[in-house]
Amino acid sequence: MATVAGIGAEDARRPISVPRPKPRGEPLPVVQKVQDSKDVACKNVGIYGYCRYADKGCLFNHDITKVTPPRPESSKLGLNVESPSFTPSSLVVNGNHPPPKTTRLSPKAVNAAIFKPKGSTPAPTAPIFTPSAKPYNPSAPDWVAPDVQEYVPSYNNLSIVDNSHETSHDSPFDFIPQTSTPNLPSTSHTPQPPNIPYVQETNSMTYYQGNNFSQPLQHHLYAALGPHREGLRPNQRTARDLFIPEDLRQTLQRRSETTLSIFQNSTLPPSIAHFHSLVPLVHNTQKNVAMFGLSSWAYKAVSSQNGKTYCLRRLQGYHLANEADETAVRNVQLNWKPIRSGNIVTVHLAFTNSSFGDSSLIFVTDYHPVSETLAQRHFAHPSRFARPLGLHITEDLLWSYMVQIANALKTIHSHGQAARLIDPSKVILTGENRIRLNACAILDVVQHDKAEPLHTLQRLDLYQLGRLILVIATNNLYKTDPAKAIDTFNRSFTPNLRERVSWLLDHKSSEKTGTIDVFLSSIAVRVTAAFDASLNLNDQLNTDLARELENSRLVRLLTKLNFLNERPEYEHDRQWNEQGSRYILQLFRDYVFHQVNSQGKPVLDLAHVLSCLNKLDAGIEEKITLTARDENTLIIVSYREVRSTIEMVWGELMRKSM
């Protein structure tokens, strides 16, 4: 084997190839060739991934990570699209010095994002950089920044949000859940912007949503509001637990039915002033002149001005004799309409009318359907000659009546008026233990000529309150011997109640000068108890209302589904057949409402229907399997996809209807 001078004995034993000498020239220095080949990557590794001669004397480098790229001919050589991303620095990168700044743009930089300065100071020329594997997006927002140092983006998957490109979703179905980003810490709800140099000195909230970030509401999940019914097992729960209680529903429905009731073949006038559709409220045809000195009747009527229902109380045979009578009628609206209390039937106005064939005085008050008087509640036969069969009266009930009527008197007396009539037949119950003073302002008109001082009338209101409690407590509407009634009352109730009723009854005498404020101060403990009971009832009603909170959303969703499914114009549409994109709406309808069990019997599961509709309205990512009726088609979709399809088809249907 031939060797070349200059090569040591150790190198001489290596199998190297020596090129043939050229006809005219010296042979190439083999030492330089061997030294340079160690920095050259083996082509077999690049082509086949390995080299079979790596251990058999191949002189090239088989470790690609240690390959040094060839030095460029010029330091101003333009960047290549295959070159890696770099960050300007004063250090030497890969053995090369960074290229000097230049005002020329490379032809390869045409895909770079447009740079616009935000401040008034001109910004430096954008640096030349090579985009990495992520392509340029033409719809990306233009960066706006003041005069700051140069920056080369590294495309490290930062999620930048521009508020100017947000789209408002007004429709209740245009809900897009917000996904979490890797930059958000798990313990905070406010996203932190990444560390970008040219936004360090500016307001970072210009580019990020920041404080308006919030997790989307889970409309298919519900929080049970108190008070709760404890100790119920799953098999003890019924469909009624999902809605308001049945007794409350029946009460509301009876009130609505009574308000909308009409009187067939009525002989009443078709209208009185601007009121029409009169229906008598008291079916007793006997005339009662003991209270007002005139025969009185009550009717339900509808106002043609606002469509609301009112109660009309008619006093038959009232005549306006002089100007004082007219002034008394006009003062009803001025003095009593501003008086508003939860224990008073509001009086709106009074007027005279001859539609009944005579001169009648009409009082217009609020209408409370399905209400009854205290006489009807506690006296089965409110007759002078029949002993009533009343209900058992508890002391707490008497305190409740006393506190509520005292509250009504407090409001009336503070407005400079007097109730003048507190009788079991003129106090109505509009709810469970909820009473209201009725027939106010009537005696102010019919007995205006017998006027007494205001303080005397207010003192008599206190006496009538005590007499009302005594009559109800002794269960006798017409006691001939007051002393015997008081003796029966004293043997049945506590001293505290006896003292309060005795104090009220003493105001029949003109020597007493007590006021309603003094009386309320003496029963402050009972007032707080009644107030607490009112709060508990309010909590219960709020709980019942919360059960009906989302019904409106489900009704709108059901309406949309029924508008879209089984339309005649879609019968031959390819998008609604088994290969169409809208076919999932029909399958979803069957999945919700037409399920059957293993024996082929229909499944009537209300909880399943409500759960599916709530999840659809929320548009969650839960997957469901939709099966065709012939069981030859199975489609796995999410509630979000079904909802998107509904919105798309609904939008097309809306455009066609315009």
Side-chain angles (χ1 to χ4, degrees):
M1 179 179 297
T3 59
V4 181
I7 300 179
E10 184 176 354
D11 293 335
R13 291 193 296 270
R14 298 178 60 183
I16 60 176
S17 60
V18 180
R20 296 180 181 180
K22 294 183 180 181
R24 297 180 182 180
E26 297 295 331
L28 295 175
V30 182
V31 176
Q32 183 68 29
K33 182 67 176 177
V34 174
Q35 183 179 1
D36 294 339
S37 64
K38 296 179 180 179
D39 298 331
V40 179
C42 181
K43 294 184 178 180
N44 291 332
V45 177
I47 298 175
Y48 304 105
Y50 70 97
C51 178
R52 67 172 64 182
Y53 302 105
D55 299 333
K56 297 181 180 180
C58 182
L59 302 180
F60 299 99
N61 192 353
H62 299 88
D63 189 357
I64 302 179
T65 60
K66 297 181 180 180
V67 177
T68 302
R71 189 183 186 91
E73 296 180 0
S74 174
S75 60
K76 296 184 179 181
L77 184 63
L79 296 177
N80 195 311
V81 293
E82 301 296 335
S83 62
S85 60
F86 66 93
T87 302
S89 176
S90 59
L91 300 178
V92 177
V93 180
N94 294 331
N96 299 328
H97 293 280
K101 299 180 181 179
T102 177
T103 57
R104 296 184 302 169
L105 291 176
S106 171
K108 299 295 184 177
V110 293
N111 294 328
I114 302 175
F115 179 85
K116 294 181 180 180
K118 182 177 180 181
S120 58
T121 306
T125 306
I128 302 174
F129 68 96
T130 302
S132 61
K134 181 179 289 187
Y136 167 69
N137 185 8
S139 63
D142 299 338
W143 292 112
V144 179
D147 186 11
V148 293
Q149 58 183 356
E150 297 177 349
Y151 167 72
V152 178
S154 58
Y155 294 91
N156 54 354
N157 296 328
L158 297 178
S159 178
I160 310 256
V161 181
D162 187 357
N163 290 333
S164 61
H165 293 269
E166 292 180 352
T167 303
S168 61
H169 304 278
D170 296 331
S171 174
F173 291 95
D174 295 340
F175 169 74
I176 301 177
Q178 302 179 9
T179 57
S180 59
T181 60
N183 297 325
L184 293 177
S186 59
T187 59
S188 176
H189 293 283
T190 304
Q192 298 296 331
N195 187 14
I196 300 179
Y198 58 75
V199 297
Q200 295 297 323
E201 299 178 358
T202 60
N203 185 9
S204 59
M205 304 311 295
T206 305
Y207 306 100
Y208 298 90
Q209 290 181 349
N211 295 332
N212 59 353
F213 175 81
S214 61
Q215 293 293 338
L217 293 176
Q218 303 293 334
H219 288 289
H220 62 291
L221 302 178
Y222 292 91
L225 304 178
H228 309 283
R229 295 174 59 190
E230 302 293 343
L232 289 182
R233 298 179 180 179
N235 61 331
Q236 295 176 335
R237 296 180 60 86
T238 62
R240 297 179 181 178
D241 295 331
L242 301 175
F243 308 100
I244 62 177
E246 188 64 23
D247 55 348
L248 178 59
R249 182 186 300 276
Q250 292 180 1
T251 300
L252 297 177
Q253 289 178 346
R254 285 199 303 268
R255 291 178 180 177
S256 177
E257 181 181 4
T258 304
T259 303
L260 299 177
S261 63
I262 58 176
F263 193 66
Q264 298 291 343
N265 301 323
S266 175
T267 58
L268 298 174
S271 63
I272 298 177
H274 57 273
F275 298 96
H276 61 88
S277 304
L278 273 68
V279 176
L281 298 180
V282 180
H283 299 284
N284 185 11
T285 58
Q286 296 181 0
K287 296 183 179 180
N288 184 7
V289 298
M291 292 294 174
F292 311 114
L294 298 172
S295 300
S296 64
W297 315 85
Y299 306 93
K300 174 182 71 70
V302 180
S303 173
S304 59
Q305 295 181 349
N306 52 22
K308 296 181 179 180
T309 304
Y310 295 91
C311 176
L312 305 184
R313 180 170 293 274
R314 170 198 172 200
L315 298 183
Q316 183 179 1
Y318 180 83
H319 299 276
L320 295 176
N322 48 43
E323 186 178 354
D325 294 343
E326 297 180 359
T327 303
V329 173
R330 288 195 300 267
N331 289 338
V332 170
Q333 184 175 3
L334 298 177
N335 298 334
W336 285 92
K337 188 174 183 179
I339 300 178
R340 298 299 176 95
S341 173
N343 296 115
I344 300 175
V345 178
T346 304
V347 180
H348 293 277
L349 75 155
F351 60 92
T352 56
N353 190 273
S354 58
S355 299
F356 290 94
D358 57 6
S359 178
S360 300
L361 177 63
I362 309 296
F363 288 87
V364 181
T365 63
D366 283 342
Y367 173 62
H368 297 276
V370 198
S371 59
E372 58 181 351
T373 65
L374 290 182
Q376 294 172 340
R377 168 63 65 92
H378 297 287
F379 304 96
H381 300 284
S383 173
R384 185 184 301 271
F385 306 103
R387 181 172 178 82
L389 302 176
L391 302 176
H392 176 67
I393 305 299
T394 63
E395 186 169 335
D396 291 337
L397 182 61
L398 294 177
W399 280 115
S400 177
Y401 289 168
M402 185 182 297
V403 170
Q404 294 184 64
I405 297 178
N407 176 54
L409 294 180
K410 168 64 177 177
T411 305
I412 294 174
H413 292 183
S414 62
H415 283 77
Q417 303 296 326
R420 303 186 65 175
L421 184 60
I422 303 177
D423 188 81
S425 62
K426 296 299 179 286
V427 179
I428 63 174
L429 287 97
T430 58
E432 188 66 24
N433 295 336
R434 175 71 177 277
I435 62 176
R436 299 173 188 263
L437 284 184
N438 194 18
C440 295
I442 295 180
L443 295 183
D444 290 349
V445 177
V446 298
Q447 297 181 5
H448 72 89
D449 54 344
K450 302 177 183 180
E452 295 184 8
L454 179 61
H455 63 86
T456 301
L457 297 177
Q458 293 180 352
R459 175 178 53 81
L460 292 178
D461 286 345
L462 299 178
Y463 166 74
Q464 292 186 18
L465 172 58
R467 182 178 180 274
L468 174 68
I469 300 300
L470 180 63
V471 167
I472 296 177
T474 56
N475 197 20
N476 198 329
L477 191 58
Y478 299 101
K479 277 291 183 182
T480 57
D481 189 358
K484 185 177 180 180
I486 295 175
D487 182 65
T488 304
F489 178 78
N490 292 336
R491 293 196 309 266
S492 304
F493 298 97
T494 61
N496 189 16
L497 181 60
R498 295 200 305 264
E499 293 176 1
R500 296 302 98 205
V501 173
S502 176
W503 186 87
L504 292 172
L505 293 176
D506 290 342
H507 283 75
K508 184 177 182 181
S509 173
S510 59
E511 298 178 357
K512 286 289 185 179
T513 58
T515 62
I516 189 62
D517 294 329
V518 176
F519 178 72
L520 286 174
S521 300
S522 63
I523 61 170
V525 177
R526 295 297 176 175
V527 172
T528 57
F531 179 67
D532 182 68
S534 176
L535 294 179
N536 291 332
L537 179 60
N538 185 48
D539 291 339
Q540 181 62 45
L541 293 178
N542 284 334
T543 302
D544 298 336
L545 180 62
R547 298 176 184 176
E548 305 289 325
L549 178 63
E550 306 299 335
N551 286 355
S552 59
R553 297 189 303 106
L554 299 186
V555 168
R556 291 195 297 268
L557 187 56
L558 285 174
T559 304
K560 282 189 175 183
L561 288 174
N562 285 278
F563 269 127
L564 300 178
N565 280 317
E566 304 295 340
R567 294 192 68 86
E569 59 266 29
Y570 295 154
E571 184 175 357
H572 302 289
D573 193 341
R574 294 183 178 179
Q575 293 181 338
W576 286 86
N577 58 21
E578 297 182 358
Q579 289 76 27
S581 59
R582 285 85 182 273
Y583 185 57
I584 61 175
L585 298 185
Q586 299 181 11
L587 299 184
F588 181 79
R589 188 264 317 273
D590 293 342
Y591 174 79
V592 176
F593 299 102
H594 300 162
Q595 286 200 355
V596 295
N597 57 16
S598 58
Q599 288 78 26
K601 297 181 180 180
V603 177
L604 305 180
D605 189 356
L606 180 61
H608 169 74
V609 174
L610 296 178
S611 176
C612 292
L613 293 179
N614 283 314
K615 292 178 180 179
L616 176 64
D617 192 27
I620 64 176
E621 297 292 344
E622 180 181 341
K623 301 289 185 179
I624 56 176
T625 302
L626 304 181
T627 308
R629 296 182 178 180
D630 56 5
E631 298 184 356
N632 293 329
T633 303
L634 295 177
I635 302 177
I636 300 178
V637 296
S638 64
Y639 285 99
R640 182 181 180 86
E641 295 171 347
V642 177
R643 177 179 165 178
S644 300
T645 304
I646 292 177
E647 288 305 307
M648 177 182 62
V649 181
W650 177 256
E652 295 177 358
L653 187 64
M654 288 286 291
R655 288 190 293 270
K656 292 180 181 180
S657 63
M658 296 180 179

